[in-house]
Amino acid sequence: MFKKLLALVLVVFFTQVIHAAENLYEKHYKEQNDRGLKSLKVDPDTKLYVSNHSDVDNISMLESGYDMMGSTGFEAGSITPDMALQHAKSIEADVVLVYSKYAAKESPLSKLEAIKEAAKTTGEVDPELLEEAEEQYKYYASYWAKMPMPLLGLHVIKLKRKSNEDESAIAEEGLKVLAVIKDSPAFEAGLLRGDVLLRLGNVNLQRPEALSTAVRKYQGKKVEIAYERNHVSASTLATINTIK
């Protein structure tokens, strides 16, 4: 009986050592796209920032000229943010943003039920069940790479609204601006987050793909951009960059 218990304790111990060495930020990482995005620098000096507001941070990173490489999300006990930095360095990210919040603590009642069940079946109790439950946290990290200055400098989305008649989704006019990259042609032209783009040159903007096509068409040229701001029509001129 003693040998069985000792063996079980050793198995638990070595399992904990393996889990401690495992980088959960790496294990649960998911790429944002299939472009193999990474830092433009050969040996990036990856920065780690701990924050609380991912939605605000995402817009700020886009406006600063970064693109998201991927993200990680999982629940676990207490884990140092340095593990996120280690993974960020391994995938050549310029910045990693880390978030965590308290999730839960294992219920004493559920642990008691597990002990009772073990006693009824094998007559042996896993030593882990006798330990105090570890507090659990929700972790999330996003990984970012700095991009070259774009041709125009906008992140947009196609919005849809529900019809009052049949509740079906109806595409709204134009493309809504999610973020304007600082110092880009769009930034210099005075476009703002929340504007709705309607036309670039002679290209009507009803799909994000149309904006990409129009920007390539007019690269190196000054072109008129028609848009709406707070439901008021307006226009501006932007000089589109060229592909280097």
Side-chain angles (χ1 to χ4, degrees):
M1 182 70 175
F2 174 78
K3 289 183 178 180
K4 288 184 178 180
L5 182 59
L6 178 60
L8 180 58
V9 171
L10 288 174
V11 169
V12 171
F13 172 77
F14 286 115
T15 300
Q16 289 176 336
V17 171
I18 292 173
H19 285 174
E22 184 178 44
N23 190 329
L24 296 179
Y25 285 98
E26 178 181 2
K27 179 180 179 180
H28 297 280
Y29 178 71
K30 293 182 179 179
E31 285 188 336
Q32 178 81 358
N33 51 63
D34 57 2
R35 291 181 291 152
L37 193 62
K38 63 180 181 180
S39 174
L40 298 174
K41 299 178 181 178
V42 177
D43 185 20
D45 180 20
T46 310
K47 303 296 184 184
L48 165 70
Y49 299 101
V50 178
S51 186
N52 295 315
H53 307 289
S54 60
D55 291 341
V56 175
D57 293 338
N58 288 349
I59 296 299
S60 179
M61 293 299 290
L62 292 174
E63 290 177 341
S64 297
Y66 291 84
D67 203 351
M68 187 187 291
M69 300 168 59
S71 62
T72 296
F74 60 91
E75 286 192 20
S78 181
I79 294 180
T80 171
D82 288 343
M83 297 182 73
L85 180 59
Q86 291 172 15
H87 178 52
K89 288 179 178 292
S90 72
I91 60 175
E92 299 182 54
D94 289 307
V95 174
V96 56
L97 304 178
V98 178
Y99 310 83
S100 64
K101 64 179 181 179
Y102 181 75
K105 194 171 184 177
E106 187 178 355
S107 168
L109 184 59
S110 64
K111 181 165 287 195
L112 179 60
E113 291 298 327
I115 292 174
K116 286 181 179 179
E117 185 63 27
K120 285 192 298 184
T121 54
T122 64
E124 297 180 2
V125 178
D126 189 333
E128 283 191 331
L129 294 176
L130 302 177
E131 296 178 359
E132 184 179 354
E134 184 179 14
E135 291 183 330
Q136 296 290 299
Y137 297 87
K138 291 182 179 180
Y139 294 93
Y140 175 77
S142 57
Y143 304 80
W144 300 82
K146 182 76 170 181
M147 295 288 95
M149 183 58 69
L151 297 183
L152 181 57
L154 291 173
H155 292 274
V156 299
I157 189 172
K158 183 65 178 179
L159 295 180
K160 294 184 178 181
R161 58 181 172 81
K162 287 186 176 181
S163 168
N164 293 328
E165 297 178 359
D166 57 7
E167 295 297 313
S168 60
I170 298 177
E172 293 190 351
E173 192 76 8
L175 303 172
K176 186 168 184 177
V177 176
L178 291 179
V180 182
I181 297 175
K182 295 175 183 176
D183 301 323
S184 67
F187 181 87
E188 297 296 336
L191 292 172
L192 301 175
R193 179 158 59 97
D195 288 346
V196 177
L197 305 182
L198 301 174
R199 180 175 47 80
L200 193 153
N202 62 6
V203 179
N204 291 324
L205 303 177
Q206 296 303 321
R207 305 185 320 277
E209 295 82 2
L211 177 60
S212 300
T213 300
V215 166
R216 289 193 297 270
K217 175 181 178 180
Y218 290 105
Q219 61 176 301
K221 300 178 181 179
K222 181 176 287 189
V223 62
E224 181 184 31
I225 301 176
Y227 66 97
E228 285 186 357
R229 179 176 297 165
N230 298 323
H231 305 290
V232 177
S233 297
S235 66
T236 185
L237 294 175
T239 301
I240 311 299
N241 285 331
T242 56
I243 298 176
K244 296 181 180 180

